[in-house]
Amino acid sequence: MGRTLAEKVWDTHVVRAGGAGGEPDLLYIDLHLVHEVTSPQAFDGLRLAGRPVRRPDLTIATEDHNVPTQDIELPIADEVSATQVDTLRRNCAEFGVRLHPMGDAEQGIVHVMGPQLGLTQPGLTVVCGDSHTSTHGAFGALAFGIGTSEVEHVLATQTLPLRPFKTMAITVDSAETADGALPRGVTSKDIILAVIAKIGTGGGQGYVLEYRGSAIESLSMEARMTICNMSIEAGARAGMIAPDETTFDYLEGRPHAPQGADWDDAVEYWRSLRTDGDATFDAEVHIDADSLVPFVTWGTNPGQGLPLSERVPDPGGITDDGERITVEKALSYMDLMPGTPLREIAVDTVFLGSCTNGRIEDLRAAAGVLRGRSVRDGLRMLVVPGSMQVRAQAEAEGLHEVFTAAGAQWRSAGCSMCLGMNPDQLAPGERAASTSNRNFEGRQGKGGRTHLVSPLVAAATAVRGSLSAPDDLD
Amino acid sequence: MQPFTRHTGVGVPLRRSNVDTDTIIPAVYLKRVSRTGFADGLFSAWRAEQDFVLNSEPFRSGSVLVAGPDFGTGSSREHAVWALSDYGFRVVISSRFADIFRGNAGKQGLLAAQCEQPDVELLWKLLDSEPGTQVTVDLTEKTVQAKDLTVSFSIDDYTRWRLLEGLDDIGLSMRYSEAIADFEIARPSWMPTTTPVRGG
């Protein structure tokens, strides 16, 4: 019987098959990405046990979660953040791990750095102590987030004991267009928000999602990364997309991509990484691409989203007690009245950035909307490139001038306001339209309120002052 | 890791679904470089509200958390497990756990016991009507018992065995060092390495 993409990648990485008694498979890890927040206790564990890093040459670190995005040449003001960054530097030096520190040309959010260096490749197993590691699945890699104990495990053994995931096909295609082109104003962010709203924040639990269909195939690599990135928000450990010409074109010539004869060997192998015609998935979901519209969230989890044209839902109409209470609590936290048109929700801050939407295409899309327009008076807009390389590219294209001319703040690379570990935070009660991935209570700052949006919606919202799509602008 | 066989402690009803790890411990508390000291940040936003369950006796000193479905969603931060353990919790009961959270819990000796939602509701009812009820969780029998109520829970056999024995995962995997080395020899030479640094 045929195998799915995920099963093929899994099978080629089994070091030792699990035995009786439910013992898991031991899976080899090809690439381990490390950052300052989830690694200190792991390195400490190695030190205590007197263990080295088994494969420093399959490990790479960067500083992203904590780092300030302005005045980066100065010492980090927050002492605890500074300690964490210093600890990573000492650990990398001691254990021989390559590090791209703050200020380095390759520094950036760990999930932006891996692909831009060409380290993320089809068919690899990729892990990182960060749930958004699912991003790398856009290349046809099996990539997933792990906890700190597992970080230590991979550092020590380059393997992880794991039980196979179930597989779910998410097909997004169009009856109207052969090439799968998305309706005007719709981006891959809207696709994934629609998927999560459909299957729920627990719908993907235990599964690897494989996104397929003409609408997925039509997407650029960066747009595919946005979709795979948020697989975890549907509860899935990983999301994958089969590699194709778009993938190979993106990879060719990148620093760590194979070269010469190696490149030909690699591409030949990568072409085999497709779900077989006779393979079966454990679950299947279909999304009609023609029906997609710009999506925004109104609540406190990423599944609480609706088309921008809709209204804030009314919990009164929900019969299930648990579900009604959940919606009531979300609306209370978000300070929203049922029935309010989503387009009338005014925001204080717009955040453009994160591992979800902080790549060059995202900045280009937002700049396209902001060119010749201004951020509404009194509204603050932060533009935080996903990496220093994205920042340099944007500056080479003059995008930074578009942002600053419109009144937005142009920052250095990092996770920034996506999770507010650095000084970029929402104040209590402040409301944001954010291109990031989580609208949990307090995620972007204690008491802060988050609406998840695409870069196009973020930019239009910055201009109009309330949740908007570019078509709403004059 | 300390072996886990049986635990008895005050049950805490947490009637919330989708309790994400940002809520369990917000990012601002993740800056420590040790595994301890995270109890202060546990549910910090909710603990600031007077009527939150952990703000009243006898729940304050609880050690068995009974939560709604989809517990531990979101971020992979193991700090969520450290914070729960550091506060004094030994067991979390839910009808559905996020995958990464469940894995992290199993590595740290925090028992993630999966009960059917109707059984969770029964426990909630009991804990609300008789605050301070002692709950006994038996990993050998895979049961949760409180007063006259006994319900079963599920956990995968391997994690259960590791918890019962208090075994460390890394040590277990290291028994297969030879198989790992053999696997490495067979990997294609074109697969990427982070060193030497190329380009840039």
Side-chain angles (χ1 to χ4, degrees), chain A residues 28 30 41 57 98 149 206, chain B residues 34 78 99 108 184 187 194:
Chain A
Y28 198 78
D30 293 315
Q41 296 87 353
D57 62 329
R98 171 178 171 187
S149 291
Chain B
S34 64
E78 196 161 311
D99 292 330
Q108 292 298 322
E184 285 176 325
R187 292 174 81 232
T194 57

Side-chain angles (χ1 to χ4, degrees), chain A residues 128-188:
Chain A
C128 173
D130 187 282
S131 60
H132 292 112
T133 308
S134 56
T135 310
H136 307 266
F139 291 80
L142 181 61
F144 49 91
I146 56 178
T148 297
S149 291
E150 290 170 310
V151 170
E152 184 182 340
H153 197 123
V154 176
L155 289 172
T157 69
Q158 205 58 36
T159 63
L160 274 179
L162 287 168
R163 246 172 297 277
F165 305 115
K166 290 180 289 180
T167 58
M168 183 187 293
I170 305 226
T171 306
V172 189
D173 58 13
S174 162
E176 290 172 23
T177 59
D179 63 358
L182 294 174
R184 178 185 158 83
V186 174
T187 69
S188 64

Side-chain angles (χ1 to χ4, degrees), chain B residues 19-67:
Chain B
V19 177
D20 57 75
T21 54
D22 275 77
T23 298
I24 298 171
I25 187 152
V28 289
Y29 290 96
L30 307 190
K31 297 178 184 178
R32 287 173 197 269
V33 294
S34 64
R35 282 177 200 253
T36 54
F38 290 98
D40 291 351
L42 180 72
F43 295 125
S44 71
W46 289 351
R47 274 160 80 192
E49 297 167 15
Q50 219 174 358
D51 60 353
F52 182 58
V53 63
L54 285 181
N55 287 336
S56 61
E57 296 294 353
F59 298 123
R60 198 189 304 271
S61 53
S63 62
V64 179
L65 187 66
V66 187

Side-chain angles (χ1 to χ4, degrees), chain A residues 270-441:
Chain A
W270 294 343
R271 286 190 200 282
S272 73
L273 296 172
R274 308 194 72 83
T275 293
D276 294 327
D278 58 345
T280 52
F281 291 91
D282 297 303
E284 298 198 41
V285 170
H286 181 254
I287 302 270
D288 174 17
D290 304 321
S291 69
L292 289 170
V293 290
F295 239 74
V296 300
T297 62
W298 50 266
T300 54
N301 74 53
Q304 294 175 322
L306 280 170
L308 177 60
S309 54
E310 299 275 333
R311 291 164 185 267
V312 174
D314 182 359
I318 301 170
T319 46
D320 181 79
D321 280 353
E323 178 60 20
R324 190 178 63 251
I325 292 167
T326 300
V327 170
E328 282 169 352
K329 290 205 160 148
L331 293 185
S332 157
Y333 182 85
M334 293 296 288
D335 192 27
L336 290 174
M337 290 294 292
T340 307
L342 296 172
R343 273 199 171 84
E344 287 177 15
I345 297 173
V347 307
D348 309 296
T349 291
V350 170
F351 172 62
L352 174 63
S354 85
C355 59
T356 310
N357 281 127
R359 285 171 287 266
I360 190 69
E361 288 178 12
D362 301 313
L363 302 196
R364 283 180 194 144
V369 175
L370 286 173
R371 192 170 280 116
R373 293 190 168 108
S374 297
V375 172
R376 193 177 165 95
D377 276 350
L379 190 148
R380 121 176 116 141
M381 180 172 184
L382 262 64
V383 183
V384 184
S387 70
M388 290 306 271
Q389 202 186 90
V390 169
R391 182 180 151 97
Q393 175 71 29
E395 291 187 346
E397 296 178 20
L399 303 184
H400 64 308
E401 286 164 355
V402 176
F403 291 123
T404 51
Q409 301 176 30
W410 179 243
R411 298 293 189 88
S412 291
C415 299
S416 180
M417 195 182 268
C418 175
L419 82 168
M421 276 193 86
N422 76 346
D424 307 337
Q425 297 182 14
L426 294 181
E430 202 177 350
R431 186 183 298 281
S434 176
T435 65
S436 54
N437 40 57
R438 288 187 177 139
N439 50 343
F440 298 151
E441 291 183 15

